Amino acid sequence: MPPNTTATSGDKPGKSGRKKGRKARLIVLVLVLAIIGGIAYGAYWSVSTVRASFPQTKGSTTLQGLSGPVDVKRDGYGIPQIYASSPEDLFMAQGFVQAQDRFYEMDVRRHMTSGRLSEMFGKGQVDNDEFLRTLGWDRVAQQEYDKKLSPATKKYLQAYSQGVNAYLKGRDAADISLEYAALGFTNDYRPAQWTPVDSVAWLKAMAWDLRGNMQDEIDRALMTSRLGPKQIKDLYPDYPYSRNKPIITQGRYDESEGAFDGGASGSGSSGGSGADPGSDGTGLPDGGSGVPASGTTDTGTGTGTSDPDGSGVQSQLSGLRSVMQNLPAAVGVNGDGIGSNSWVVAGKHTITGKPLLANDPHLGASLPSVWYQMGLHCRAVSGKCPYDVTGYTFAGMPGVVIGHNQDIAWGMTNSGVDVTDLYLEKLSGDGYLRDDKTVPFRTRQETIKVAGGASKKIVVRETENGPLLSDRDDELVQVGKKAQVDTAAPDRGDGYAIALKWTALRAGTTMDAVFAIDQAKDWSGFRSAAAKFDVPSQNLVYADTRGNIGYTLPGRIPKRAKNDDGSVPAPGWDSKYDWKGYLKQGQLPYEYNPKRGYIVTANQAVVDPADYPYRLTTDWGYGTRSQRIADLIQSKIDGGGKISTDDMRQMQMDNSSEIAKLLVPMLLKIDIGDKDVRQAQKLLEGWDYTQDADSAAAAYFNAVWRNILKLAFGNKLPKELRVEGQCLWVEPTGNTGPVDETTKVRECGERSADQAQPDGGDRWFEVVRNLVKQPDSDWWKVPASGTRPKAENRDQLFARALIDARWELTSKLGKDIDTWNWGRLHRLFLKNQTLGTEGPGFLKYVLNRGPWKLSGGEAAVNASGWNAAGGYGVVWVPSMRMVVNLADLDKSKWINLTGASGHAFSAHYTDQTDKWAKGELLPWSYSAGAVDIRTSHPGLKTRCPGHGATPPPGEPLHARVEGLRRTRDPRLGAQARRRTPEGVTTACTGRSCGSAGTCPTTSRS
């Protein structure tokens, strides 16, 4: 059965064609709004409420502040390409256009980054706001804007804000987006003006979701209530450097020079010089001394504490985890499971003779997509107007984050570098202990305004290490008083608290980096620009039209004390555990034109510790995807084969299950007596290990894998890591007496289904790979349950998993295995991230889309991630895909998860999702000629006086609309879906139009 890639409406599966479903949702919405509005508020809401927010995409409009004409050309998917003669006009138009399509999303984002969600959504968001105010993202963003960012960056941010505000001017909230109309039922909220800091703060939210190993740090500490040190080590195995290669294989750290040597560097195809090896990659004056802080063999625990039963610290961390998991995700699943693929192949291995670069970041599925596609083009590229760039950005932020310009292309994956540490703090009255002295807290008061309710005031306390996250949960304060420590630790007194040290809580220059990368022309310029990209630390992959390829790791990366590896909370009362500065740019790993002719990044280790003296993290991804990509590339080029753009696309869609290759031969050897289970077992015979949506074998194997993990590990983890509501009878923690059934207690899991453990990712691949070599390990022992037999060894547990999986799928998919397929289990629902998850049922129906039945799986290259502890549903996805062809940029390809628009009934709400689900890519036009071909006649051009013929004096300025893309549906007044290109030209007013600041007349072509 082929995969179903047609989206149905609402949260439940069903049949619905695209047009029929859209019209049905519109009818339902209009009826409901009319009833509620008419009865409750005396207002009659019609289809015009839905259509009011649709953007103008033809003709002309006038913006106060433009210095010249700006053209905005949209293709058949509504993707805009903007043309202007100055960078200020370019970014002003970018702000206007993004606000047209996505302002509600932008508005929610800025309320999240500033801890003001309660102002929009009421008291249900107060806890989130308290936590976000404690982190203080907007305060750091303000510091960056005031003290760190360059004058040019500030000017561009101001222009962008001016464009957003030009769109908002004169519009009621309900005219901006349907969601505001819905919020109007209970809330008189009105959008405020956009500011440059709103844009900068979004980078902090992105950094939070990509923050590294903070979750592992918490989990390891929580595990101590049930597991011993060796058991925890079993669950966090060493990275397999010999099997899954790190990103860099030819570079080395030069101890004599105190710098990394990643190969020849320069601006051309050969020679030249790279970034100054002594320059500070942090963009800060205190980048560090350059002396290694720790060798690669250090294994310090980092805590300096001893807690026999672990209850105090574990309870604090459990409470912290509870607060964290309820935060809205910015770009991912609150830091869990986030990965990405990006690789580049040199011209010697490609059909075109020039590099090909691919990228697909794996982030949380959201509606609209976190990404916004667009192009920003100076009409004449020069020093005064240096931008000719296209790619993916975030709505609410100027510039392009991932993409290409006329000379270079770049992609990103999360590096996973450890840039966060938790510190235990010894409280003492109104202060905290620091090197045997009581130091006063730094405090500030925050007022949280609540829609429909009274404001709430909180006090944020900070130590030398950072804000006290434990203050945001009353339980944490109480249990902190009971934490057990050894005699070397300070007296308990008023208890312990938990502080967060994080590189993103210091002002930085990432916004400068975005603009600098967008205009970089070569490797040297790219590395210099990347050096400003301090948070989040990302793997940056590079290619240029001259034929060069490269990789660099930028970021503000801390150096830790020798006895602190950052893997568990450290004692904040002892300054010897302080960070010892930051690595300099020249000390960070990079690679340029490696002899193998390709570079792969997919969240694996950056460099072998034998070749590098600094500890970047203890928690890399385990390299399953990266090695699979490398193997696919190598299989293509062995014997002189060449790689095409479509080959790169097909690699992105590779569905191979690497854990299935290990386990299926073992599973087929298990002797099964039950004929129904044996029938399911036979599905694995001859299976090629690909997880296609129509594969019954993939469905059954993944069910077996899920049950192996649950039996061997999940039921043995502490409640804080298990799925919320999953209850077990277990021995009390800290019980050292003989096993007695009468002493068991009932414990229920506390973690959300998409964040619980074991999640089945490639860390668990490595755990099982190691343990299958120990068939009698205690991990394989499980008690009998009902009619299910107990297991005493690996094969008995595998047999139990085969049985449990058979009957699990029978309950979910039916007894007839001929009807089974992976796509029926592995479905993607796209949900509006506010009212689509927490709003009334009818709003969820009209705002959400899905399901799509997906191929791929956890740790596959086509990483449609699912959490094995929680179920089979899709949790994170390739949020976009692109392949850049450096030989002919117009032959590049791209796709987004959803569409350009955030308006629920726009033709561009999810118009790319069907193709995305099938693995298709769209043409990506770049040159002016190619853009013109993919857009309609460019629309009415308007000029300020002096830029063309003028109309008669006194004739009012107006917009003439030609060939409107939308036509009225005679039945509903809705917008019919016509796949025709669009274009709009934005007229100018302002500096060139006299002191009045407004063009009194305009010319018409």
Side-chain angles (χ1 to χ4, degrees), residues 167 190 213 243 597:
Y167 172 74
R190 293 291 183 272
N213 78 333
R243 185 176 67 254

Side-chain angles (χ1 to χ4, degrees), residues 62-70 83-93 155 159 162 379 384-385 942-947 986-994 997-999:
T62 302
L63 300 188
Q64 180 77 25
L66 287 176
S67 63
V70 174
Y83 295 84
S85 298
S86 73
E88 292 83 359
D89 285 358
L90 197 62
F91 297 120
M92 182 177 178
K155 184 166 56 175
Q162 192 174 3
R379 289 195 178 90
K384 291 184 178 180
C385 194
T942 56
R943 301 284 192 271
C944 287
H947 289 275
T986 303
C988 63
T989 65
R991 292 184 295 276
S992 63
C993 300
T998 302
C999 297

